[in-house]
Amino acid sequence: MNEAEAKSPSRWIAHLDMDAFYASVELLRYPELRGKPVVVGGRRAHAPDQLANGSHKFARLRDYAGRGVITTATYEARALGVHSGMGLMKAAALAPEAALLPADFDQYRDYSRQFKTAVRDIAPQIENRGIDEIYIDLTELAVADDASDTDPYSGIRDIALRIKSRVHKATGLTCSIGVSPNKLLSKLCSELEKPNGLTIITMADLPGRIWPLPASRINGIGPKASEKLASLGINTIGELAASEVIWLKQHFGPNYGAWLHRVAHGRDERPVVTYSEPKSISRETTFERDLHPRHDREELGKLFTRLCEQLASDLQRKGYAAKTIGVKLRFDDFKIVTRVLTANTWIKDATGIRHWAGRALKKAPLEQKLRLLGVRAENLYAADALPLPAEDMDQERHDQLSLGLY
DNA sequence: TCTGGGGTCCTAGGACCC
DNA sequence: TCTGGGGTCCTAGGACCC
């Protein structure tokens, strides 16, 4: 490693992660739950009842029945072993007395806008990573800020602390920030001192702070890859870094193998991307009970049409037209099937979506009971600037489409 | 009483064109 | 009869993330 580069990186990238975001927003509304195990999730109505004396009666996890999962849990609930993604029925066995609150996404989106606006006041180069996370490019701010002699990172630390303070002032919420020369390492180190943490590292800290971590902590190494790595005797990022790139390529393919080697050595050149267009918009729903394509045909048809209407309204609100419509089916054994169709026309409304989604659905096998149905729009274009009106489409291609060759 | 809903990206095969 | 190589589009599935 180059020592000068390690001490004075060419970029300073921050990763900001709101602490237990949804649950923390709920605690602002229900401060009496502070310090208690609280879980946000589920789809059935179980909003707290307001009592005559002004206090609230909260639903308990043990009273829940259904197919919901935990969206977020407070740190007190996590201490009992529950975590996001876990089925609520399973979580109820671990934390029966935990308060259960329904997710209120409109409210979370509102707080999301607030904290991002607060950050932008200080550092405008922001990349959205969902509702509760962002990357921030601090490079230019760091250059403008003088570092003191005693703490080489006092400049960057001061900027990060100002961001944390501004976020708290604007929302009443805490966040954790990791700062490093790239997105990969910042994402890793924002978790190291959660909640309300601030962690600054450079390449020199790789062996001490990053290599001891499990490989699965790296963004992009999920359950499948971790399991395969473990079966090959690799559990930590350090063990991954000690592997030969040739050997990794043999086991994981040329691209993923090379990537594994790069990230284990902390290398990541991805820029902070401040703007991007959506690639797809979708709606899906898991049924209260599994439905059979023939036996429950009527009910399924209604749900299907409703999904198409919701998707059409999303599309219109966001100002896009689609060329490709797809359906997604999850069967009772959890197997997923998708079918897509590219149309010879721009699809903008519920009728068009329903038509093409119906044709796509006809291509799917429909013998088994269904657990989930979804509709997706792809090949999106801004509706007010379509590159080609449908009637101008290439005639030959149009004929092929009409003949059903696609 | 297992396992939500919204996304992105990658791979791989086939059709088709030059 | 058998024979290229590159490029794009479409489709299906799967891993992964928040």
Side-chain angles (χ1 to χ4, degrees), chain A residues 353-371:
Chain A
I353 292 173
R354 183 63 179 79
H355 171 78
W356 289 95
R359 285 183 59 172
L361 189 60
K362 283 202 176 73
K363 301 198 297 175
L366 292 171
E367 275 76 55
Q368 217 176 325
K369 275 191 167 180
L370 292 169
R371 173 184 183 92

Side-chain angles (χ1 to χ4, degrees), chain A residues 129-149:
Chain A
R129 297 300 298 186
I131 198 163
D132 68 337
E133 278 183 32
I134 50 174
Y135 288 106
I136 319 165
D137 192 330
L138 300 176
T139 309
E140 292 189 12
L141 292 171
V143 168
D145 222 65
D146 282 337
S148 83
D149 296 337

